[in-house]
Amino acid sequence: MLDFYLIPDIQPTPGSPGSLEQAGELDSRTFGLLKEKKIIPPQYDYYTDFRWNNTLIQQLENTILMKPALQADTDVQQLLLLLRAAREKQSGLIAYAD
């Protein structure tokens, strides 16, 4: 599972989630399908920790919202939950692979 946590853009990247608030998770199948659908950029890997800042989160959400057919996709809906949680807290996301 790839676990996502909320993290302010200005906070340095910690080595582990520690006291960060969990935003949700994606399984490998869903993550792979989102990459195939070109929603998650190709440089992100399921098995490698990564971080998304506010700007990228907004871009990802805008990409989804501009295509109404994507919004009904269950894989996309899972990602939207993560993106919206970050946006509501004005936070970035950091993903830790386990």
Side-chain angles (χ1 to χ4, degrees):
M1 210 45 85
L2 188 61
D3 299 316
F4 286 83
Y5 297 86
L6 300 172
I7 186 167
D9 285 347
I10 61 170
Q11 182 176 335
T13 301
S16 67
S19 63
L20 297 176
E21 180 182 347
Q22 187 167 13
E25 59 191 20
L26 292 175
D27 60 35
S28 62
R29 179 190 163 283
T30 302
F31 187 86
L33 290 171
L34 290 167
K35 282 183 76 170
E36 284 177 22
K37 295 171 188 173
K38 303 204 184 311
I39 296 172
I40 293 179
Q43 68 266 30
Y44 296 104
D45 178 60
Y46 182 81
Y47 299 101
T48 306
D49 300 345
F50 59 85
R51 187 171 178 167
W52 292 341
N53 64 20
N54 276 309
T55 303
L56 180 58
I57 289 167
Q58 188 63 51
Q59 290 171 350
L60 294 171
E61 190 173 26
N62 287 343
T63 298
I64 293 166
L65 297 177
M66 289 174 26
K67 300 177 182 177
L70 285 177
Q71 296 174 44
D73 184 298
T74 56
D75 299 321
V76 174
Q77 288 174 358
Q78 289 181 55
L79 179 60
L80 269 175
L81 290 174
L82 297 171
L83 300 177
R84 287 181 176 152
R87 188 172 41 85
E88 287 172 8
K89 299 274 183 158
Q90 297 179 345
S91 179
L93 289 169
I94 190 165
Y96 289 99
D98 48 16

